[in-house]
Amino acid sequence: MAEERNRHEPIARSEFILGGQRSGKSRRAEALARQWLDADAAHRAVLVATALPWDAEMRERIARHQRDRAERVPGMATVEAPLALAETLAELTAPDTLVVVDCLTLWLTNLLMPAQGEPADPQAPTQQLLHAIETARGPVVLVGNEIGLGVIPMGRETRAFVDALGGLNQAVARACERVTFMAAGLPLTLKAPR
């Protein structure tokens, strides 16, 4: 039902899709990519993946997502960009190309809690990302988690991450033409194109 609804909405210049885990965020982004590809044989779609395979479970999760995505959206290319997101988006954007970024939450995790090295200040990379969204030459769909609806985390680092993600989500929502909240596979439009 949600996929059918997507087929009747025009593709926005930029859309931010957020919600909880397993809420249908990635499926909506994939449905929009499929709609874009079906609309014109000259259209291209590229997924920018931000996940890092830091353990066996995550490697399997990534492989499963790749298999499922290839089945649901044949023809969508994948580029990995766990850190250089703004630069990758700027390189890929084109009038005939829809770019899906999945997901901003993992990208922020890679900056703030790297497996190796020191955490990065997300302020400059966030500003670069916002600029890349605003100057994109083709449609951009960004996926992120809304994690601020639960209990207040006990650890200082976790609270700092929740705060940083909330700030990132608000900034991306301001920059995007459409904002969609997903719950139980159903889209709720929070902001629509004018």
Side-chain angles (χ1 to χ4, degrees):
M1 177 100 107
E3 280 190 31
E4 286 304 312
R5 181 183 293 180
N6 289 343
R7 293 192 181 282
H8 301 293
E9 292 177 347
I11 301 288
R13 182 189 65 74
S14 55
E15 179 166 350
F16 182 32
I17 303 168
L18 72 160
Q21 283 188 291
R22 308 296 299 165
S23 63
K25 303 177 304 292
S26 295
R27 289 269 180 130
R28 176 173 171 86
E30 290 170 359
L32 292 170
R34 181 79 185 248
Q35 177 183 337
W36 176 258
L37 290 170
D38 289 348
D40 190 323
H43 282 176
R44 295 178 47 235
V46 179
L47 175 96
V48 178
T50 61
L52 287 170
W54 56 76
D55 63 22
E57 186 274 335
M58 192 62 174
R59 284 190 291 278
E60 174 50 37
R61 181 180 287 260
I62 290 169
R64 186 178 63 247
H65 281 291
Q66 290 169 340
R67 288 188 305 269
D68 293 348
R69 193 169 46 249
E71 185 178 307
R72 287 191 294 263
V73 193
M76 183 161 68
T78 300
V79 173
E80 295 181 12
L83 292 170
L85 186 54
E87 298 86 342
T88 302
L89 180 56
E91 289 172 14
L92 294 173
T93 186
D96 66 343
T97 303
L98 180 139
V99 178
V100 174
V101 174
D102 197 353
C103 85
L104 294 179
T105 310
L106 289 174
W107 173 71
L108 186 64
T109 301
N110 297 337
L111 290 173
L112 293 178
M113 296 179 253
Q116 298 175 351
E118 293 297 313
D121 180 349
Q123 190 168 12
T126 296
Q127 290 307 311
Q128 293 165 354
L129 175 62
L130 296 173
H131 179 73
I133 293 167
E134 292 166 353
T135 59
R137 295 171 297 157
V140 178
V141 177
L142 303 112
V143 176
N145 289 75
E146 174 53 71
I147 63 171
L149 298 173
V151 297
I152 297 171
M154 291 187 57
R156 181 177 58 84
E157 292 85 5
T158 308
R159 284 192 301 273
F161 179 79
V162 171
D163 290 347
L165 183 59
L168 174 64
N169 286 349
Q170 289 184 44
V172 172
R174 283 191 300 271
C176 286
E177 193 175 73
R178 177 182 288 135
V179 178
T180 304
F181 183 78
M182 296 297 298
L186 300 173
L188 174 64
T189 302
L190 301 180
K191 178 181 176 183
R194 294 184 178 159

